[in-house]
Amino acid sequence: MTYKHQWQNGTDINLPVGKLVCIGRNYAAHAKELGNAVPDAPMLFLKPATALVPLHQPIHIPQGRGECHHETEICVLIGQTLSGHVTKEQVRQAVVGIGLGLDLTLRDVQQQLKQQGHPWEVAKAFDSAAPMGTFLPADKFTDWHAIEFELLVNGQCRQAGCSADMITSIEVMLEFIAGIFTLQPGDIVMTGTPEGVAALKPNDRLSLSLLSPVQATWECVVADA
Ligand code: ZN
């Protein structure tokens, strides 16, 4: 199924499908669980538009490439161009939607790439590496520092996070990104994952929820191998 940005009520969002800009190690406890140092500056990487798939369709894990981990992340949809030096006010106006998505990561492949000092795209930017939920209007999120969310796998809580625990806040992250990669309407920024990342297994049932300030849940399953 082709990916389109959608609102949570099922209507299409009239924006093109663009790139994803992602941040690594943005929650201290997650950096620690993988034995990584917390970076001095935001650590960015990209996923192409071809990585996007709707979160409600079964997740297909690449076969024969080791563990594929879930990373549950707050995702922000950009509605206006952000480029160069931008203010926090411009950042807030440019975000039209907020939701949840998965930064799927081939962890064993990533480990090898890290050891070799190579880029991570093979582990993180493959087709279908970004199952993306529908979006809620950004104006429902008055405080970007208190967005709480969780991931249940087969009914058990695996990841629970709050944007208050981010090392780089959403506003600062978007300011920083705009100075490097122009953000265009339809781009998505994935804001990092809290601790609890683990391998997905065939037929796992996932439930991603926003808990505060808005409540919403997205359900999906991992396809049979
Ligand atoms: Zn991630």
Side-chain angles (χ1 to χ4, degrees), residues 125-139:
F126 55 91
D127 286 356
S128 309
M132 187 59 54
T134 52
F135 289 92
L136 293 148
D139 59 17

Side-chain angles (χ1 to χ4, degrees), residues 22-26 30 45 47 70-73 102-105 107 110 120 124 190-194 197:
C22 310
I23 183 165
R25 302 176 197 171
N26 198 30
H30 167 62
F45 59 95
K47 291 184 193 248
H70 54 76
E71 296 192 355
T72 311
E73 314 205 356
L102 293 171
D103 167 17
L104 294 184
T105 303
R107 192 68 70 199
Q110 186 196 31
W120 293 358
K124 280 186 171 281
M190 301 189 76
T191 62
T193 197
V197 300

Side-chain angles (χ1 to χ4, degrees), residues 2-4 35 38 46 50 54 63 117 126 137 186 204 206-207:
T2 319
Y3 174 85
K4 278 188 286 188
V38 171
L46 300 177
T50 45
Q63 294 301 298
F126 55 91
D204 275 349
L206 278 64
S207 172

Side-chain angles (χ1 to χ4, degrees), residues 172-195:
V172 173
M173 188 186 310
L174 268 59
E175 275 185 306
F176 181 84
I177 291 169
I180 299 170
F181 308 111
T182 293
L183 288 168
Q184 296 176 301
D187 288 349
I188 293 171
V189 175
M190 301 189 76
T191 62
T193 197
E195 73 272 27

